[in-house]
Amino acid sequence: MNKPVDTATLKALDQAHHLHPFTDLSGYARDGGRIISRAEHIYIYDSDGNRMLDGMSGLWCCNLGYSQPAIVEAVTRQLQELPYYNNFFRCSNQPAVELAAALVRVTPERFNHVFFTNSGSEANDTNIRLVHRYYDLLGKPQKKQIISRRNAYHGSTIAAASLGGMKAMHEQAIGLSYVHHINQPHWFELGGEHSPEDFGVAVARELEQKIDELGEDNVAAFIAEPVQGAGGVIVPPESYWPEIQRICDERDILFIADEVICGFGRTGTWFGSETYGIRPDLMTFAKAVTNGYMPLGGVMVSDKLADVLLASGGEFAHGLTYSGHPASCAAGLATLGIIGETGVIERAATELAPRLQSQLAALADHPIVGQVRGLGMFAAVELVRDKTTRERLAPESGAAVYCRDWANAHGLMVRQTGDAMIMAPPLVSHPEEIDELVALLTRALDATAAHYGVRGD
């Protein structure tokens, strides 16, 4: 247990010394924030005792909520037995070995090898190394170009941020010159007068056009999230993924599925790739693999790549000090055990997801809601002033920020991305807690509409 410290002291120390991720640093130094002190089930509590329903599963990672003693026990036991050893120099450890085998069992059959990292960012860095090494071994060293999508999020290291397509991140760092971007399948934002189906095909074919522009002999891979999470829960039209798969199959282009957010049940199946029937060559995982209890990420490597990497010999000159950390892998084993033994994915898909999506869909009639979109256990509500023209309520996403802050202040942790309110509640939520989430969100929308002077018909 942490030694009790009063809120004022904690906030003062935090503002004085702690630089926070994805935060207006000057604003935080001036105004501060909240201190989260404890959590149970799907609720978090701040240092003043205020309770919030966590509608974001931590940061898309606590799919099983905050009360999983089996994970705590597994980590504690491992720390007492072998707190650390590296996986370099032909060494391994039992939790890493067992977790690799467990991940192979729950992923599609073409995946029989795992490379462990500490995060999704590092895993996507690793994907670049694996892809380039693969083509080098095949005698195609010119295949180095990688295609991604605008508004994608693939992590925050230089390489992962380069793969991502978020404007603000690219403005603050010089990215990799061999990463290129095409449009995202965001029908509400980009579809214009097209039907979702026609738009899905058209935006998918931008991949084909970019391959032709760069030259197929130069393009190594395409990377994408099955559903863009941090970009705003962008659920692609049904026509999108079949066309992308066709293009990758017909060209000598590897497909990397970033499953950091979609993986481990968020879309209603173990992985988003399975939900959409797509067949990636590499899969990035992290976040929910340990239920957020310990840092862990990695790459599932298909037999297509692994066979070449294993047969050709020579050192793969890449690794991380904490790759396959025994305590993190113990947390992963316990997490996969809980998911497999309790049927939580199936229950969420059949009981909770329909309840969440149907109640949110009813918000489409709200005067400031332009679109509701979602899949499985995550969703987004897009805010507008005018439903027909899609005019926004306020510049620079001010209305969504207001809505988020109102929700946070009244007991609901949800997130704002652009002009959308996004949410991803834990898969262990109770049905009445789904009702509570939607009721609190509705109150936040009402308050936002009143603040901006928008009335219903």
Side-chain angles (χ1 to χ4, degrees):
M1 297 292 291
N2 294 319
K3 179 181 178 181
V5 179
D6 66 273
T7 296
T9 299
L10 283 171
K11 287 186 175 181
L13 289 169
D14 188 43
Q15 288 171 262
H17 304 297
H18 187 183
L19 297 178
H20 288 252
F22 285 94
T23 297
D24 179 337
L25 299 179
S26 63
Y28 196 90
R30 181 185 64 248
D31 302 326
R34 62 177 61 85
I35 307 294
I36 304 302
S37 296
R38 66 184 183 93
E40 59 183 11
H41 183 41
I42 69 165
Y43 296 94
I44 56 176
Y45 296 79
D46 69 18
S47 53
D48 292 320
N50 299 306
R51 188 181 84 159
M52 302 177 72
L53 189 158
D54 184 7
M56 283 304 304
S57 297
L59 198 59
W60 316 89
C61 52
C62 297
N63 286 6
L64 304 178
Y66 296 98
S67 299
Q68 297 295 343
I71 305 176
V72 176
E73 291 166 7
V75 173
T76 302
R77 186 166 57 249
Q78 185 59 47
L79 289 173
Q80 293 169 337
E81 183 173 332
L82 177 68
Y84 170 76
Y85 197 71
N86 67 76
N87 284 272
F88 290 39
F89 319 125
R90 298 196 172 199
C91 293
S92 194
N93 65 77
Q94 184 172 339
V97 171
E98 292 184 351
L99 181 58
L103 286 164
V104 165
R105 288 193 294 271
V106 300
T107 51
E109 61 181 13
R110 64 188 170 282
F111 292 107
N112 286 292
H113 293 85
V114 186
F115 191 100
F116 287 118
T117 66
N118 309 299
S119 67
S121 295
E122 292 173 345
N124 280 324
D125 285 22
T126 299
N127 280 323
I128 296 175
R129 301 293 301 276
L130 287 166
V131 166
H132 286 179
R133 179 65 173 159
Y134 169 75
Y135 279 116
D136 284 347
L137 292 172
L138 287 180
K140 300 178 180 181
Q142 77 281 4
K143 286 180 77 69
K144 292 290 189 288
Q145 309 298 311
I146 297 175
I147 300 171
S148 183
R149 304 185 296 191
R150 298 184 183 97
N151 197 39
Y153 185 80
H154 295 298
S156 198
T157 59
I158 291 292
S162 298
L163 291 173
M166 292 192 164
K167 181 180 178 182
M169 298 176 73
H170 284 251
E171 288 174 345
Q172 295 182 13
I174 299 174
L176 302 176
S177 62
Y178 52 78
V179 177
H180 311 270
H181 297 83
I182 59 176
N183 277 321
Q184 60 180 327
H186 190 355
W187 174 79
F188 184 81
E189 187 74 27
L190 303 172
E193 299 303 315
H194 293 286
S195 69
E197 292 73 21
D198 289 345
F199 172 72
V201 172
V203 75
R205 287 180 180 170
E206 289 190 23
L207 173 60
E208 201 162 40
Q209 294 161 14
K210 182 60 71 173
I211 294 169
D212 289 338
E213 175 189 325
L214 297 170
E216 183 176 327
D217 290 343
N218 300 317
V219 177
F222 172 64
I223 183 170
E225 306 155 84
V227 174
Q228 288 161 255
V233 189
I234 309 303
V235 181
E238 290 297 321
S239 58
Y240 179 77
W241 279 118
E243 189 67 5
I244 289 288
Q245 188 68 61
R246 177 192 68 79
I247 294 165
C248 290
D249 287 346
E250 291 179 1
R251 308 295 191 108
D252 184 19
I253 309 296
L254 297 173
F255 172 35
I256 306 166
D258 187 333
E259 295 273 7
V260 170
I261 288 175
C262 293
F264 305 101
R266 183 59 58 186
T267 65
T269 54
W270 273 91
F271 296 93
S273 300
E274 296 172 296
T275 300
Y276 283 106
I278 48 182
R279 302 180 300 279
D281 300 295
L282 295 159
M283 288 202 319
T284 315
F285 67 87
K287 291 191 183 292
V289 67
T290 66
N291 196 46
Y293 278 43
M294 294 288 287
L296 181 68
V299 179
M300 299 302 303
V301 183
S302 70
D303 294 338
K304 177 179 179 178
L305 277 82
D307 289 349
V308 172
L309 296 169
L310 293 169
S312 300
E315 180 178 287
F316 180 46
H318 174 65
L320 302 155
T321 299
Y322 299 111
S323 294
H325 190 287
S328 293
C329 290
L333 278 168
T335 300
L336 294 191
I338 294 167
I339 295 173
E341 293 165 11
T342 62
V344 64
I345 294 176
E346 295 78 10
R347 174 182 169 272
T350 58
E351 297 180 24
L352 299 181
R355 193 181 191 107
L356 174 68
Q357 301 298 340
S358 65
Q359 290 192 36
L360 290 174
L363 293 176
D365 293 331
H366 195 280
I368 64 168
V369 173
Q371 185 194 38
V372 177
R373 55 182 181 267
L375 177 70
M377 287 293 284
F378 57 158
V381 176
E382 197 84 30
L383 307 188
V384 297
R385 179 178 293 276
D386 186 296
K387 292 173 181 283
T388 302
T389 65
R390 299 178 184 176
E391 175 192 357
R392 298 303 186 178
L393 272 170
E396 298 182 354
S397 305
V401 171
Y402 180 92
C403 189
R404 176 203 66 194
D405 290 348
W406 194 99
N408 291 173
H410 291 80
L412 174 62
M413 176 56 74
V414 286
R415 184 174 171 183
Q416 161 269 333
T417 295
D419 287 280
M421 304 303 300
I422 61 177
M423 62 221 72
L427 309 188
V428 296
S429 301
H430 300 311
E432 59 271 19
E433 290 164 341
I434 297 297
D435 302 344
E436 180 185 359
L437 184 158
V438 177
L440 286 168
L441 178 64
T442 302
R443 289 176 59 200
L445 293 170
D446 292 343
T448 306
H451 180 78
Y452 287 95
V454 178
R455 298 175 180 270
D457 295 333

